[in-house]
Amino acid sequence: MIQLLKKLSFAIATICTVTTTSFANTLPQPTAKTVLWKISGNGLDKPSYLFGTFHMLCKDDLIISDKAKKAFAGTSQLVIETNIFDPTEIKLAQKEVMSDVPQSQRLSREKYAFVDSVLRARIGVPLQRFDSLRLSALVGVLAQLGFTCPQPVSQEAALYQYAQQQQMKFATLETIKEQVDYMNKGFSDAYFFKFLQGIDSLKHVTTRMVSAYKTEDIDVIQQEMNDADMSYWLLTRRNANWAVKMPAMMQANSCFFAVGSGHLAGENGIIQLLKAKGYTVTPVLN
């Protein structure tokens, strides 16, 4: 169950909508190609940094740049989305991935058979094994199929380990229970079945997003998460919540905020929300 919750937590950055929408007429000015942004001004004594992660990556792709390491070393507190390393937090969240009604009772016979066939074909496990879980939890299970390696690793875990070694302060922007609640809303039944229908392209889409991440093109990553309902719950609502919490955290400590790259760009992204609050948010290019 702990591994399942971690996969569900990581799924936010690796899942995107199964259909592509054109943003040609609605795109704002292109965002600078960098996953690292300096936050200053508005009364801050010391700058903080906003770093876009890709929650799960193959080990060979998990490279933290020198500029990120330098910024990290100049701060006193690591802040990530939620504490995926605390067994107590995970235990509290376990009930949030449980379905009130078993899938064998809530799904039609046809839909149950479809999900069962996908799970058997893709991971060699029948739906019966997950009968008591929400369908949103299965998004996290299946998301890993998008990677070319069998065991993707966590970028947040690498940052967390380094912070522990340096005895840095540590904080989060939300509880894991809150995060799973947003995922349950964002990964609705409708989204889940769209996701299953496009699962054949999952590896291609994930590869494309990882490539965009490696070139630090946060606009592309944000645009890939273009399912309106999913994006509202997993990005827009959470970004707004975080933008309220971040000012007090930055007043108290110089923070290194490490959140999924999909949260950075766009009209409702963290960069614009902080600018609207009066902060100077500048790209760190080297």
Side-chain angles (χ1 to χ4, degrees), residues 126-192:
L127 178 54
Q128 181 181 11
R129 180 173 172 180
F130 303 108
D131 198 41
S132 61
L133 295 181
R134 293 176 181 264
L135 295 183
S136 58
L138 295 183
V139 175
V141 172
L142 294 169
Q144 195 161 322
L145 295 174
F147 293 92
T148 56
C149 57
Q151 292 293 330
V153 292
S154 163
Q155 195 168 30
E156 279 80 0
L159 293 171
Y160 179 76
Q161 183 178 23
Y162 182 75
Q164 294 294 101
Q165 292 172 349
Q166 300 302 312
Q167 298 184 324
M168 292 176 65
K169 296 178 181 179
F170 173 70
T172 63
L173 292 165
E174 62 192 10
T175 67
I176 196 168
K177 181 179 181 299
E178 290 172 328
Q179 186 178 87
V180 173
D181 181 57
Y182 281 119
M183 290 180 182
N184 286 337
K185 293 173 179 175
F187 295 152
S188 63
D189 283 7
Y191 178 87
F192 176 74

Side-chain angles (χ1 to χ4, degrees), residues 72-264:
F72 193 90
T75 57
S76 59
Q77 178 170 260
L78 170 65
V79 183
I80 63 175
E81 295 180 16
T82 191
N83 194 347
I84 55 175
F85 311 108
D86 185 352
T88 302
E89 278 276 283
I90 292 175
K91 185 176 181 180
L92 290 173
Q94 285 181 352
K95 65 179 182 179
E96 303 301 316
V97 300
M98 306 303 292
S99 178
D100 295 333
V101 179
Q103 298 301 334
S104 55
Q105 296 179 30
R106 65 182 298 273
L107 293 179
S108 67
R109 181 177 299 179
E110 293 76 17
K111 286 186 175 180
Y112 188 93
F114 174 53
V115 178
D116 182 69
S117 66
V118 172
L119 290 175
R120 288 177 184 272
R122 300 291 176 170
I123 61 175
V125 176
L127 178 54
Q128 181 181 11
R129 180 173 172 180
F130 303 108
D131 198 41
S132 61
L133 295 181
R134 293 176 181 264
L135 295 183
S136 58
L138 295 183
V139 175
V141 172
L142 294 169
Q144 195 161 322
L145 295 174
F147 293 92
T148 56
C149 57
Q151 292 293 330
V153 292
S154 163
Q155 195 168 30
E156 279 80 0
L159 293 171
Y160 179 76
Q161 183 178 23
Y162 182 75
Q164 294 294 101
Q165 292 172 349
Q166 300 302 312
Q167 298 184 324
M168 292 176 65
K169 296 178 181 179
F170 173 70
T172 63
L173 292 165
E174 62 192 10
T175 67
I176 196 168
K177 181 179 181 299
E178 290 172 328
Q179 186 178 87
V180 173
D181 181 57
Y182 281 119
M183 290 180 182
N184 286 337
K185 293 173 179 175
F187 295 152
S188 63
D189 283 7
Y191 178 87
F192 176 74
F193 282 101
K194 277 200 301 182
F195 170 68
L196 285 192
Q197 289 166 4
I199 201 165
D200 287 341
S201 64
L202 181 59
K203 194 178 293 290
H204 172 72
V205 172
T206 303
T207 298
R208 186 170 69 234
M209 291 183 72
V210 171
S211 178
Y213 181 71
K214 291 167 73 173
T215 60
E216 304 191 51
D217 196 335
I218 59 176
D219 280 332
V220 169
I221 295 173
Q222 193 270 337
Q223 291 155 27
E224 287 284 2
M225 302 182 73
N226 58 27
D227 179 274
D229 194 48
M230 181 270 284
S231 181
Y232 172 75
W233 289 110
L234 298 187
L235 299 180
T236 304
R237 282 288 298 271
R238 296 168 74 219
N239 288 349
N241 292 343
W242 298 351
V244 171
K245 297 178 180 179
M246 291 170 72
M249 300 176 87
M250 292 188 289
Q251 285 289 345
N253 297 282
S254 177
C255 298
F256 189 90
F257 295 100
V259 301
S261 295
H263 292 279
L264 272 58

